[in-house]
Amino acid sequence: MALIVQKYGGTSVGSVERIQAVAGRVYKTVQAGNSLVVVVSAMGKTTDGLVKLANEISPNPNRREMDMLLSTGEQVTIALLSMALQELGQPAISMTGAQVGIVTEAEHSRARILHIETTRLIRHINAGKVVVVAGFQGTSNAGEMEITTLGRGGSDTSAVAIAAALGASFCEIYTDVPGILTTDPRLVAEAQLMDDITCDEMLELASLGAKVLHPRAVEIARNYGVPLVVRSSWTDAPGTWVTSAQPQGRSLINLEIARPVDAVEFDTNQAKVALLRVPDKPGVAARLFGEISRQKVDVDLIIQSIHEGNSNDIAFTVTTPILKRAEAVAAAIAPALRNPSNPKSDEAEVMLEHNIAKVSIAGAGMIGRPGVAAKMFATLAEAGVNIQMISTSEVKVSCVVNAAECDRAVTALRTAFEIEAGGQGAGSKGELLTPNSCTDAINRVSPHSSPVRGVALDLNQARLAIRQLPDRPGMAAKLFGLLAQHNISVDMIIQSQRCRVIDGVPRRDIAFTVSRIDGESAKEMLTQVAAELGWGEVVLDSAIAKVSIVGAGMVGQPGVAAKMFEALAQHQINIQMIATSEIKISCVVAQEEGVKALQAIHAAFGLAGSEKVVVPA
């Protein structure tokens, strides 16, 4: 007999008829010999309606009172579903987050789960009841018994956390699509269903705006090895399994705020090639990386900074043994990128840098915690290590530094994040370490399958650029530390490769993306301190879109980036920024070209299926 946790979203319980259909599915699962906990969201658009009511009362409602208000939505659903189960003859009991024992931080509207007191829950399960739990909510542990909510998508988080606390056989997430698709079926009707996906791939897709699963839920599944499956509420199709590696014994205390970094990784076998002042127009990246692919040059990080005038810089890292081949490719293509009327100009200048190292922190606990990257940058600054390149993903932040400073950087980071040398995250110089994660699935990808699993579009980002930031240790720490203090999470971070000396001080531009709702406040805050810290102008652009490809199979396949860039070039879509990690490539394009970019890339990688996916209203 299995212990299963099921979660049903607002669409799945949006009417009495749909609640009765859910009750029928739950009853059938119990009759098959299983024990069940069911987590539900508020019915349909209930939460939106409650938010609207609050905004009619107050333009800036108190966060505590908002939690009191919004937590009522789920309470309606749990009572109705329990009644529906009882009508079928199935013993059931409805419980709020507080009654279940979900204890959270005392942080209204965005609380994280500390632990779950499972005694009462287990007692009802052992009595043969289906326990119907209000998702999205808990209660603080500060003695005041304050009702807290987990933020949007919190019911996913509740369900997977309960599954982890109970040691459930698996957790089922029921939604309005048949599983996890290669992209948003509202934008590409032929989006294809995946049978399975690794948790690292899902973390990237979830955080990029794929709304099927909340990133915090995937993070918990990854950290605690909870088998997770996403299925349709309307069919009996098998859905998509999110696969997790076997975890290494995490405590269920401080469930969501445990150590955010699992490992410190480093690679000293790296070199950098940069093309400075390449034309800012469609097709440039496609030509460069197309030739790199044809020459079988495997690239690690790719960075394209924001434009300066009519040009920008593209840099990439390679392993040291193939540097000469990479240099030859860059040198051969550079003349073709220059203005034909002035071939001797300083456009497309090739710059090489030997003796660099990549230092990374890795762990699923970094999601939505702006202080983690800031802490990394501050740690490197305190150790006197200057950062030359930055690459970010949901599970890793990587910095390129001088190779001579690598040991010092690794030691400082291990100390700061409490990673023991000789234990998890330890290794000899030059070794690339794999944290407790799903990245071992990279080695299991079928050679016949597409290296790209999914394509995602994020239309909710804004880009901030700071011109002429002093190029010295501590600048990134100050910048991102300030953002962290204001609880502003950063996504892509890109430093320009061009360095200008102004008044005797070397300076670079730096650009990064944030949630669009944080854009104006971030610009205002950074502008206020710019003069004091010696920064130049702070520029905000809210009319951007970020399109990304994700896939564990991209590792060691140099043609993937070229194919993505070529798809954009064929549609005359200009790439404004590029950032990569091991399993993700992201490009910033103009907002009005975002949907076209996604559709072009999805088609280029042949991800469409033969059937159209219809999303119920």
Side-chain angles (χ1 to χ4, degrees), residues 311-431:
S311 69
N312 50 33
D313 307 331
I314 300 179
F316 56 93
T317 62
V318 295
T319 57
T320 306
I322 62 170
L323 175 60
K324 288 192 180 298
R325 206 151 26 112
E327 177 191 2
V329 172
I333 200 169
L337 299 177
R338 294 174 188 142
N339 188 335
S341 63
N342 186 16
K344 294 185 178 180
S345 71
D346 62 355
E347 288 183 341
E349 176 191 354
V350 179
M351 182 178 74
L352 300 181
E353 188 150 359
H354 304 259
N355 303 319
I356 63 169
K358 183 175 72 172
V359 180
S360 309
I361 56 172
M366 295 190 279
I367 297 169
R369 301 184 200 181
V372 177
K375 183 176 180 178
M376 179 186 192
F377 303 150
T379 300
L380 294 177
E382 288 166 10
V385 176
N386 197 36
I387 300 169
Q388 300 179 23
M389 292 172 73
I390 299 170
S391 172
T392 58
S393 78
E394 289 308 317
V395 294
K396 185 176 288 189
V397 181
S398 298
C399 294
V400 171
V401 301
N402 190 299
E405 297 175 335
C406 179
D407 287 347
R408 191 162 77 246
V410 169
T411 300
L413 290 170
R414 282 181 177 151
T415 301
F417 291 103
E418 300 177 4
I419 307 295
E420 293 182 10
Q424 197 174 17
S428 60
K429 186 171 182 178
E431 181 182 2

Side-chain angles (χ1 to χ4, degrees), residues 282-283 565 567-575 589-590 593 596-597 600:
F565 302 152
L568 296 175
Q570 286 176 357
H571 289 77
Q572 290 298 301
I573 298 171
N574 195 35
I575 301 172
V589 300
E593 295 183 318
K596 184 169 70 170

Side-chain angles (χ1 to χ4, degrees), residues 366-611:
M366 295 190 279
I367 297 169
R369 301 184 200 181
V372 177
K375 183 176 180 178
M376 179 186 192
F377 303 150
T379 300
L380 294 177
E382 288 166 10
V385 176
N386 197 36
I387 300 169
Q388 300 179 23
M389 292 172 73
I390 299 170
S391 172
T392 58
S393 78
E394 289 308 317
V395 294
K396 185 176 288 189
V397 181
S398 298
C399 294
V400 171
V401 301
N402 190 299
E405 297 175 335
C406 179
D407 287 347
R408 191 162 77 246
V410 169
T411 300
L413 290 170
R414 282 181 177 151
T415 301
F417 291 103
E418 300 177 4
I419 307 295
E420 293 182 10
Q424 197 174 17
S428 60
K429 186 171 182 178
E431 181 182 2
L432 185 62
L433 303 164
T434 304
N436 170 27
S437 71
C438 293
T439 49
D440 62 333
I442 289 170
N443 299 319
R444 300 196 302 270
V445 174
S446 167
H448 305 295
S449 65
S450 170
V452 174
R453 305 299 310 282
V455 185
L457 176 66
D458 191 342
L459 293 168
N460 296 310
Q461 293 211 344
R463 179 180 61 212
L464 283 151
I466 301 178
R467 300 292 187 181
Q468 299 174 10
L469 199 75
D471 184 32
R472 56 173 178 254
M475 278 293 112
K478 284 181 181 176
L479 169 58
F480 296 104
L482 279 168
L483 292 167
Q485 288 171 22
H486 289 77
N487 203 38
I488 296 173
S489 291
V490 175
D491 184 14
M492 297 171 70
I493 303 172
I494 297 177
Q495 286 178 305
S496 68
Q497 295 304 299
R498 230 175 297 182
C499 191
R500 295 170 177 264
V501 178
I502 300 174
D503 297 329
V505 178
R507 297 173 180 272
R508 297 181 193 270
D509 296 343
I510 192 165
F512 53 92
T513 58
V514 299
S515 173
R516 187 170 295 163
I517 60 172
D518 291 328
E520 288 290 350
S521 59
K523 179 188 176 184
E524 183 179 340
M525 182 266 293
L526 294 174
T527 300
Q528 288 173 356
V529 300
E532 175 191 341
L533 295 173
W535 301 344
E537 182 186 9
V538 180
V539 183
L540 173 66
D541 184 357
S542 296
I544 65 165
K546 185 180 75 171
V547 63
S548 307
I549 57 175
V550 172
M554 296 195 300
V555 176
Q557 297 208 31
V560 175
K563 183 180 279 193
M564 180 184 189
F565 302 152
E566 179 60 31
L568 296 175
Q570 286 176 357
H571 289 77
Q572 290 298 301
I573 298 171
N574 195 35
I575 301 172
Q576 300 180 16
M577 291 168 67
I578 301 171
T580 67
S581 69
E582 280 91 341
I583 65 169
K584 179 178 73 174
I585 302 172
S586 295
C587 294
V588 168
V589 300
Q591 184 181 39
E592 67 268 18
E593 295 183 318
V595 173
K596 184 169 70 170
L598 176 134
Q599 292 168 341
I601 294 166
H602 193 269
F605 285 99
L607 296 177
S610 57
E611 298 180 9

Side-chain angles (χ1 to χ4, degrees), residues 133-150:
V133 179
F136 173 68
Q137 61 181 252
T139 183
S140 71
N141 196 24
E144 301 291 333
M145 294 296 289
E146 288 287 302
I147 291 175
T148 55
T149 63
L150 310 180

Side-chain angles (χ1 to χ4, degrees), residues 120-202:
R120 187 176 181 187
L121 197 55
I122 292 170
R123 188 170 73 245
H124 288 303
I125 293 169
N126 289 341
K129 297 176 184 175
V130 170
V131 184
V132 184
V133 179
F136 173 68
Q137 61 181 252
T139 183
S140 71
N141 196 24
E144 301 291 333
M145 294 296 289
E146 288 287 302
I147 291 175
T148 55
T149 63
L150 310 180
R152 284 302 178 104
S155 293
D156 287 353
T157 307
S158 300
V160 181
I162 289 170
L166 290 173
S169 303
F170 53 90
C171 179
E172 297 177 310
I173 305 291
Y174 284 93
T175 182
D176 53 5
V177 291
I180 298 164
L181 301 160
T182 51
T183 196
D184 187 340
R186 297 169 185 85
L187 301 178
V188 180
E190 297 81 10
Q192 192 172 354
L193 179 68
M194 302 183 213
D195 293 330
D196 57 68
I197 187 171
T198 69
C199 52
D200 279 3
E201 291 170 323
M202 191 64 237

